[in-house]
Amino acid sequence: MKIPLCLCTPSFPYSFLSLAGNQIRQVENLLDLPCLQFLDLSENLIETLKLDEFPQSLLILNLSGNSCTNQDGYRELVTEALPLLLDLDGQPVVERWISDEEDEASSDEEFPELSGPFCSERGDPAFQGFQPPQSPPLPCGT
């Protein structure tokens, strides 16, 4: 899978946003973040998802600890709405990962930031000193 490059806006040139544990009840105004790739909304109070409020650029999304994850067909709805999503709630979107054989045959750029677990636990040693990866600008959703 080729991931499009994003030309980020000066107002939000980042690709990582963690809003875990903030008592957020609904997701809104994220479409103004067209280069957002990593979004952590875990441990909030989100009951209903408005999937049209999520930027299409998301690669990793964490909604664990929200009651919306208990909705029938939740995983399928989210993965259908976000075509580039590779990881949902710490679980890979298996059908979007390239097999080892395909990966060896591919000369595409690797994304090492996707190789480890996506954790949002406060005090998690995996997040101590975490800095979002520096990468070239990415083109925004079309």
Side-chain angles (χ1 to χ4, degrees):
M1 164 184 279
K2 288 189 177 184
I3 298 174
L5 296 178
C6 188
L7 302 172
C8 296
T9 62
S11 61
F12 193 84
Y14 307 105
S15 62
F16 182 93
L17 180 61
S18 178
L19 296 170
N22 278 290
Q23 298 184 0
I24 294 170
R25 294 185 181 276
Q26 69 181 33
V27 178
E28 58 188 359
N29 300 321
L30 293 178
L31 293 177
D32 292 333
L33 309 176
C35 297
L36 190 62
Q37 295 179 321
F38 305 85
L39 177 60
D40 185 357
L41 287 167
S42 62
E43 305 302 328
N44 278 291
L45 303 172
I46 302 168
E47 294 179 7
T48 306
L49 283 179
K50 295 180 183 175
L51 292 168
D52 58 343
E53 290 288 334
F54 289 87
Q56 295 289 301
S57 56
L58 285 177
L59 301 177
I60 297 177
L61 175 61
N62 190 353
L63 289 164
S64 60
N66 288 285
S67 61
C68 64
T69 62
N70 299 324
Q71 173 183 336
D72 285 339
Y74 155 78
R75 189 167 178 87
E76 291 77 22
L77 289 171
V78 174
T79 56
E80 285 175 14
L82 300 170
L84 297 178
L85 199 66
L86 298 174
D87 187 284
L88 177 59
D89 302 334
Q91 300 296 313
V93 180
V94 177
E95 61 273 16
R96 297 199 181 141
W97 284 92
I98 297 173
S99 72
D100 289 340
E101 292 168 359
E102 288 175 291
D103 193 34
E104 288 173 10
S106 171
S107 62
D108 289 341
E109 189 176 340
E110 290 187 20
F111 295 92
E113 63 271 17
L114 298 178
S115 64
F118 181 62
C119 304
S120 65
E121 303 292 324
R122 291 182 185 170
D124 186 325
F127 260 80
Q128 291 177 355
F130 176 77
Q131 292 294 320
Q134 298 297 317
S135 58
L138 299 168
C140 303
T142 48

